[in-house]
Short mmCIF file of all heavy atoms in Angstrom, two decimals:
data_model
loop_
_atom_site.label_atom_id
_atom_site.label_comp_id
_atom_site.label_asym_id
_atom_site.label_seq_id
_atom_site.Cartn_x
_atom_site.Cartn_y
_atom_site.Cartn_z
N GLU A 16 122.57 95.42 138.53
CA GLU A 16 122.91 94.45 139.54
C GLU A 16 122.90 93.04 138.94
O GLU A 16 123.73 92.24 139.25
CB GLU A 16 121.87 94.53 140.69
CG GLU A 16 122.13 95.66 141.64
CD GLU A 16 123.46 95.66 142.28
OE1 GLU A 16 123.85 94.62 142.76
OE2 GLU A 16 124.13 96.67 142.31
N LEU A 17 121.96 92.70 138.10
CA LEU A 17 121.88 91.36 137.48
C LEU A 17 123.13 91.22 136.53
O LEU A 17 123.67 90.10 136.53
CB LEU A 17 120.56 91.22 136.72
CG LEU A 17 119.32 91.18 137.62
CD1 LEU A 17 117.98 91.22 136.73
CD2 LEU A 17 119.26 89.94 138.49
N ASP A 18 123.44 92.29 135.79
CA ASP A 18 124.58 92.14 134.91
C ASP A 18 125.86 91.98 135.74
O ASP A 18 126.78 91.22 135.33
CB ASP A 18 124.69 93.37 134.05
CG ASP A 18 123.61 93.45 132.95
OD1 ASP A 18 123.08 92.36 132.56
OD2 ASP A 18 123.35 94.59 132.40
N LYS A 19 125.91 92.68 136.82
CA LYS A 19 127.12 92.60 137.75
C LYS A 19 127.22 91.15 138.27
O LYS A 19 128.31 90.61 138.34
CB LYS A 19 126.92 93.57 138.90
CG LYS A 19 128.15 93.49 139.85
CD LYS A 19 127.88 94.53 141.01
CE LYS A 19 128.88 94.35 142.09
NZ LYS A 19 128.60 95.21 143.27
N THR A 20 126.15 90.50 138.61
CA THR A 20 126.16 89.14 139.09
C THR A 20 126.67 88.24 138.08
O THR A 20 127.47 87.33 138.29
CB THR A 20 124.71 88.68 139.51
OG1 THR A 20 124.17 89.49 140.55
CG2 THR A 20 124.63 87.27 139.91
N LEU A 21 126.28 88.47 136.83
CA LEU A 21 126.75 87.62 135.67
C LEU A 21 128.22 87.88 135.53
O LEU A 21 128.98 86.91 135.23
CB LEU A 21 125.94 88.05 134.45
CG LEU A 21 125.85 86.91 133.39
CD1 LEU A 21 125.02 85.80 133.94
CD2 LEU A 21 125.17 87.49 132.13
N ARG A 22 128.73 89.07 135.51
CA ARG A 22 130.17 89.38 135.39
C ARG A 22 130.95 88.75 136.43
O ARG A 22 132.02 88.12 136.17
CB ARG A 22 130.41 90.90 135.31
CG ARG A 22 130.11 91.63 134.06
CD ARG A 22 130.71 93.04 134.00
NE ARG A 22 130.31 93.76 135.21
CZ ARG A 22 129.24 94.45 135.33
NH1 ARG A 22 128.29 94.42 134.41
NH2 ARG A 22 128.99 95.16 136.42
N GLU A 23 130.51 88.83 137.67
CA GLU A 23 131.24 88.25 138.77
C GLU A 23 131.30 86.71 138.69
O GLU A 23 132.34 86.14 139.04
CB GLU A 23 130.59 88.62 140.17
CG GLU A 23 130.85 90.09 140.41
CD GLU A 23 130.16 90.58 141.69
OE1 GLU A 23 129.31 89.81 142.27
OE2 GLU A 23 130.31 91.79 142.09
N ALA A 24 130.31 86.13 138.25
CA ALA A 24 130.27 84.69 138.03
C ALA A 24 131.19 84.27 136.92
O ALA A 24 131.87 83.15 136.98
CB ALA A 24 128.89 84.14 137.75
N SER A 25 131.40 85.12 135.94
CA SER A 25 132.29 84.80 134.83
C SER A 25 133.79 84.82 135.26
O SER A 25 134.64 84.29 134.52
CB SER A 25 132.03 85.77 133.67
OG SER A 25 130.73 85.55 133.16
N LYS A 26 134.07 85.41 136.37
CA LYS A 26 135.50 85.52 136.86
C LYS A 26 135.96 84.19 137.30
O LYS A 26 137.21 83.98 137.40
CB LYS A 26 135.60 86.51 137.95
CG LYS A 26 135.33 88.00 137.55
CD LYS A 26 135.47 88.87 138.71
CE LYS A 26 135.07 90.35 138.26
NZ LYS A 26 135.04 91.18 139.37
N ASP A 27 135.12 83.23 137.53
CA ASP A 27 135.53 81.88 138.04
C ASP A 27 135.90 80.92 136.93
O ASP A 27 136.05 79.76 137.13
CB ASP A 27 134.42 81.26 138.92
CG ASP A 27 134.08 82.11 140.13
OD1 ASP A 27 135.03 82.79 140.67
OD2 ASP A 27 132.97 81.98 140.64
N GLY A 28 136.15 81.45 135.74
CA GLY A 28 136.59 80.61 134.61
C GLY A 28 135.49 80.26 133.61
O GLY A 28 135.78 80.10 132.51
N GLU A 29 134.24 80.20 134.09
CA GLU A 29 133.22 79.89 133.21
C GLU A 29 132.50 81.19 132.71
O GLU A 29 132.25 82.07 133.55
CB GLU A 29 132.13 79.06 133.88
CG GLU A 29 131.08 78.53 132.98
CD GLU A 29 130.19 77.48 133.63
OE1 GLU A 29 130.40 77.13 134.79
OE2 GLU A 29 129.16 77.11 133.00
N LYS A 30 132.39 81.30 131.37
CA LYS A 30 131.83 82.52 130.85
C LYS A 30 130.32 82.48 130.83
O LYS A 30 129.72 81.52 130.21
CB LYS A 30 132.31 82.70 129.35
CG LYS A 30 131.89 83.85 128.66
CD LYS A 30 132.69 85.07 128.96
CE LYS A 30 132.32 86.18 127.99
NZ LYS A 30 131.92 87.40 128.61
N TRP A 31 129.71 83.36 131.47
CA TRP A 31 128.22 83.48 131.58
C TRP A 31 127.78 84.61 130.70
O TRP A 31 128.33 85.73 130.73
CB TRP A 31 127.78 83.71 132.99
CG TRP A 31 127.85 82.54 133.92
CD1 TRP A 31 128.94 82.10 134.58
CD2 TRP A 31 126.90 81.57 134.17
NE1 TRP A 31 128.66 80.93 135.29
CE2 TRP A 31 127.39 80.64 135.00
CE3 TRP A 31 125.54 81.40 133.72
CZ2 TRP A 31 126.67 79.51 135.48
CZ3 TRP A 31 124.89 80.32 134.21
CH2 TRP A 31 125.42 79.39 135.07
N GLU A 32 126.75 84.33 129.92
CA GLU A 32 126.09 85.41 129.05
C GLU A 32 124.63 85.22 129.05
O GLU A 32 124.14 84.10 129.32
CB GLU A 32 126.62 85.31 127.62
CG GLU A 32 128.11 85.63 127.44
CD GLU A 32 128.56 85.45 126.02
OE1 GLU A 32 127.80 84.86 125.22
OE2 GLU A 32 129.67 85.94 125.69
N TRP A 33 123.89 86.28 128.87
CA TRP A 33 122.42 86.20 128.75
C TRP A 33 122.07 85.61 127.40
O TRP A 33 122.69 86.01 126.37
CB TRP A 33 121.74 87.54 128.86
CG TRP A 33 121.98 88.32 130.15
CD1 TRP A 33 122.54 89.52 130.31
CD2 TRP A 33 121.68 87.93 131.48
NE1 TRP A 33 122.59 89.83 131.62
CE2 TRP A 33 122.06 88.91 132.33
CE3 TRP A 33 121.05 86.72 132.03
CZ2 TRP A 33 121.86 88.84 133.78
CZ3 TRP A 33 120.87 86.62 133.42
CH2 TRP A 33 121.28 87.69 134.22
N ASP A 34 121.18 84.70 127.35
CA ASP A 34 120.72 84.20 126.01
C ASP A 34 119.57 85.07 125.54
O ASP A 34 119.15 85.95 126.28
CB ASP A 34 120.31 82.68 126.05
CG ASP A 34 119.12 82.37 126.95
OD1 ASP A 34 118.36 83.30 127.23
OD2 ASP A 34 119.05 81.23 127.32
N SER A 35 119.05 84.84 124.36
CA SER A 35 118.04 85.79 123.83
C SER A 35 116.79 85.77 124.63
O SER A 35 116.11 86.74 124.85
CB SER A 35 117.71 85.39 122.35
OG SER A 35 117.31 84.02 122.24
N ARG A 36 116.39 84.59 125.14
CA ARG A 36 115.23 84.51 126.04
C ARG A 36 115.40 85.35 127.31
O ARG A 36 114.58 86.05 127.74
CB ARG A 36 114.97 83.03 126.43
CG ARG A 36 113.75 82.87 127.36
CD ARG A 36 113.67 81.46 127.86
NE ARG A 36 114.84 81.16 128.80
CZ ARG A 36 114.86 81.50 130.07
NH1 ARG A 36 113.88 82.18 130.63
NH2 ARG A 36 115.91 81.18 130.80
N GLU A 37 116.60 85.26 127.89
CA GLU A 37 116.91 85.98 129.08
C GLU A 37 116.93 87.51 128.81
O GLU A 37 116.53 88.31 129.65
CB GLU A 37 118.19 85.58 129.71
CG GLU A 37 118.05 84.13 130.29
CD GLU A 37 119.42 83.43 130.64
OE1 GLU A 37 120.37 83.77 129.94
OE2 GLU A 37 119.39 82.72 131.64
N VAL A 38 117.40 88.00 127.68
CA VAL A 38 117.45 89.33 127.29
C VAL A 38 116.05 89.93 127.27
O VAL A 38 115.81 91.00 127.74
CB VAL A 38 118.29 89.54 126.01
CG1 VAL A 38 118.09 90.99 125.48
CG2 VAL A 38 119.76 89.22 126.16
N ALA A 39 115.14 89.06 126.65
CA ALA A 39 113.74 89.49 126.64
C ALA A 39 113.15 89.58 128.03
O ALA A 39 112.45 90.55 128.37
CB ALA A 39 112.95 88.56 125.80
N LEU A 40 113.49 88.61 128.82
CA LEU A 40 113.05 88.64 130.24
C LEU A 40 113.56 89.81 131.03
O LEU A 40 112.86 90.46 131.77
CB LEU A 40 113.47 87.38 130.95
CG LEU A 40 112.53 86.23 131.04
CD1 LEU A 40 113.25 85.00 131.68
CD2 LEU A 40 111.27 86.51 131.84
N LEU A 41 114.83 90.20 130.74
CA LEU A 41 115.44 91.30 131.39
C LEU A 41 114.73 92.61 131.05
O LEU A 41 114.55 93.49 131.91
CB LEU A 41 116.93 91.39 131.07
CG LEU A 41 117.78 90.37 131.71
CD1 LEU A 41 119.17 90.27 131.05
CD2 LEU A 41 117.94 90.64 133.21
N ALA A 42 114.32 92.74 129.78
CA ALA A 42 113.61 93.94 129.45
C ALA A 42 112.18 94.01 130.14
O ALA A 42 111.90 95.13 130.63
CB ALA A 42 113.28 93.92 127.90
N LEU A 43 111.51 92.92 130.32
CA LEU A 43 110.32 92.90 131.14
C LEU A 43 110.62 93.18 132.55
O LEU A 43 109.82 93.90 133.21
CB LEU A 43 109.63 91.51 130.99
CG LEU A 43 109.06 91.19 129.60
CD1 LEU A 43 108.62 89.72 129.55
CD2 LEU A 43 107.94 92.10 129.21
N ILE A 44 111.64 92.64 133.13
CA ILE A 44 111.97 92.84 134.50
C ILE A 44 112.28 94.29 134.78
O ILE A 44 111.83 94.90 135.70
CB ILE A 44 113.21 91.97 134.89
CG1 ILE A 44 112.79 90.49 135.00
CG2 ILE A 44 113.88 92.45 136.16
CD1 ILE A 44 113.92 89.51 135.11
N GLU A 45 113.01 94.99 133.87
CA GLU A 45 113.39 96.35 134.01
C GLU A 45 112.09 97.23 133.97
O GLU A 45 111.96 98.12 134.76
CB GLU A 45 114.34 96.75 132.85
CG GLU A 45 115.01 98.03 133.03
CD GLU A 45 116.14 98.27 132.07
OE1 GLU A 45 116.69 97.36 131.47
OE2 GLU A 45 116.34 99.49 131.76
N SER A 46 111.17 96.90 132.99
CA SER A 46 110.00 97.65 132.90
C SER A 46 109.07 97.45 134.10
O SER A 46 108.51 98.47 134.62
CB SER A 46 109.21 97.18 131.61
OG SER A 46 107.92 97.84 131.62
N GLN A 47 109.03 96.27 134.61
CA GLN A 47 108.20 96.05 135.82
C GLN A 47 108.76 96.74 137.05
O GLN A 47 108.03 97.27 137.86
CB GLN A 47 108.12 94.49 136.07
CG GLN A 47 107.06 94.06 137.04
CD GLN A 47 105.67 94.31 136.38
OE1 GLN A 47 105.40 94.20 135.20
NE2 GLN A 47 104.72 94.73 137.19
N ALA A 48 110.07 96.75 137.18
CA ALA A 48 110.70 97.50 138.28
C ALA A 48 110.40 98.96 138.20
O ALA A 48 110.09 99.63 139.23
CB ALA A 48 112.20 97.20 138.36
N ASP A 49 110.40 99.50 137.03
CA ASP A 49 110.09 100.93 136.77
C ASP A 49 108.69 101.17 137.12
O ASP A 49 108.30 102.20 137.78
CB ASP A 49 110.39 101.38 135.31
CG ASP A 49 111.87 101.47 135.05
OD1 ASP A 49 112.68 101.53 136.01
OD2 ASP A 49 112.18 101.48 133.87
N THR A 50 107.71 100.31 136.75
CA THR A 50 106.30 100.44 137.10
C THR A 50 106.06 100.48 138.59
O THR A 50 105.42 101.25 139.16
CB THR A 50 105.48 99.33 136.44
OG1 THR A 50 105.65 99.33 135.05
CG2 THR A 50 104.03 99.38 136.82
N ILE A 51 106.78 99.61 139.29
CA ILE A 51 106.66 99.50 140.79
C ILE A 51 107.19 100.84 141.37
O ILE A 51 106.53 101.40 142.29
CB ILE A 51 107.52 98.30 141.32
CG1 ILE A 51 106.87 97.03 140.89
CG2 ILE A 51 107.66 98.45 142.85
CD1 ILE A 51 107.63 95.80 141.15
N GLU A 52 108.26 101.35 140.86
CA GLU A 52 108.82 102.61 141.38
C GLU A 52 107.75 103.71 141.18
O GLU A 52 107.55 104.52 142.06
CB GLU A 52 110.12 102.94 140.56
CG GLU A 52 110.76 104.21 141.08
CD GLU A 52 112.07 104.54 140.33
OE1 GLU A 52 112.05 104.42 139.06
OE2 GLU A 52 113.01 104.87 140.99
N LYS A 53 107.15 103.78 140.00
CA LYS A 53 106.10 104.84 139.80
C LYS A 53 104.89 104.70 140.72
O LYS A 53 104.34 105.69 141.21
CB LYS A 53 105.71 104.86 138.27
CG LYS A 53 106.83 105.33 137.37
CD LYS A 53 106.52 105.20 135.97
CE LYS A 53 107.65 105.48 135.05
NZ LYS A 53 107.46 105.05 133.71
N LEU A 54 104.50 103.39 140.84
CA LEU A 54 103.34 103.19 141.77
C LEU A 54 103.67 103.50 143.17
O LEU A 54 102.79 104.13 143.89
CB LEU A 54 102.93 101.70 141.63
CG LEU A 54 102.21 101.30 140.38
CD1 LEU A 54 102.10 99.75 140.27
CD2 LEU A 54 100.83 101.97 140.28
N ASP A 55 104.86 103.21 143.65
CA ASP A 55 105.30 103.62 145.01
C ASP A 55 105.28 105.11 145.12
O ASP A 55 104.82 105.63 146.19
CB ASP A 55 106.71 103.00 145.31
CG ASP A 55 106.70 101.59 145.67
OD1 ASP A 55 105.62 101.01 146.18
OD2 ASP A 55 107.75 100.91 145.54
N GLN A 56 105.74 105.84 144.09
CA GLN A 56 105.70 107.27 144.19
C GLN A 56 104.36 107.77 144.28
O GLN A 56 104.07 108.76 145.01
CB GLN A 56 106.41 107.78 142.93
CG GLN A 56 106.64 109.30 142.90
CD GLN A 56 107.37 109.81 141.66
OE1 GLN A 56 107.64 109.04 140.73
NE2 GLN A 56 107.69 111.09 141.69
N THR A 57 103.48 107.24 143.51
CA THR A 57 102.04 107.68 143.53
C THR A 57 101.42 107.45 144.91
O THR A 57 100.69 108.34 145.45
CB THR A 57 101.17 106.84 142.50
OG1 THR A 57 101.69 107.18 141.20
CG2 THR A 57 99.72 107.22 142.56
N ILE A 58 101.68 106.30 145.50
CA ILE A 58 101.23 106.07 146.91
C ILE A 58 101.74 107.01 147.86
O ILE A 58 101.12 107.56 148.78
CB ILE A 58 101.49 104.55 147.33
CG1 ILE A 58 100.67 103.64 146.38
CG2 ILE A 58 101.15 104.32 148.72
CD1 ILE A 58 101.11 102.17 146.50
N THR A 59 103.09 107.32 147.77
CA THR A 59 103.76 108.29 148.63
C THR A 59 103.09 109.64 148.52
O THR A 59 102.81 110.32 149.53
CB THR A 59 105.23 108.36 148.29
OG1 THR A 59 105.84 107.11 148.51
CG2 THR A 59 105.91 109.40 149.17
N GLU A 60 102.78 110.08 147.27
CA GLU A 60 102.16 111.41 147.06
C GLU A 60 100.69 111.41 147.50
O GLU A 60 100.25 112.41 148.07
CB GLU A 60 102.27 111.76 145.60
CG GLU A 60 103.69 112.05 145.15
CD GLU A 60 103.79 112.16 143.64
OE1 GLU A 60 102.85 112.11 142.92
OE2 GLU A 60 105.06 112.39 143.17
N ASP A 61 99.89 110.34 147.13
CA ASP A 61 98.47 110.39 147.31
C ASP A 61 98.06 109.76 148.66
O ASP A 61 96.90 109.97 149.09
CB ASP A 61 97.71 109.62 146.25
CG ASP A 61 97.94 110.29 144.85
OD1 ASP A 61 98.46 111.44 144.81
OD2 ASP A 61 97.55 109.70 143.86
#
Side-chain angles (χ1 to χ4, degrees):
E16 284 298 315
L17 293 169
D18 288 341
K19 180 181 172 188
T20 299
L21 208 64
R22 279 192 311 276
E23 288 173 355
S25 293
K26 291 178 185 175
D27 296 334
E29 188 171 355
K30 179 85 169 124
W31 286 86
E32 294 178 346
W33 301 121
D34 64 22
S35 58
R36 179 192 64 84
E37 290 168 327
V38 169
L40 264 175
L41 287 165
L43 291 172
I44 287 168
E45 194 171 334
S46 174
Q47 196 67 35
D49 288 342
T50 298
I51 291 168
E52 181 179 47
K53 290 173 187 167
L54 288 167
D55 281 337
Q56 184 178 8
T57 299
I58 294 167
T59 299
E60 292 170 1
D61 297 351

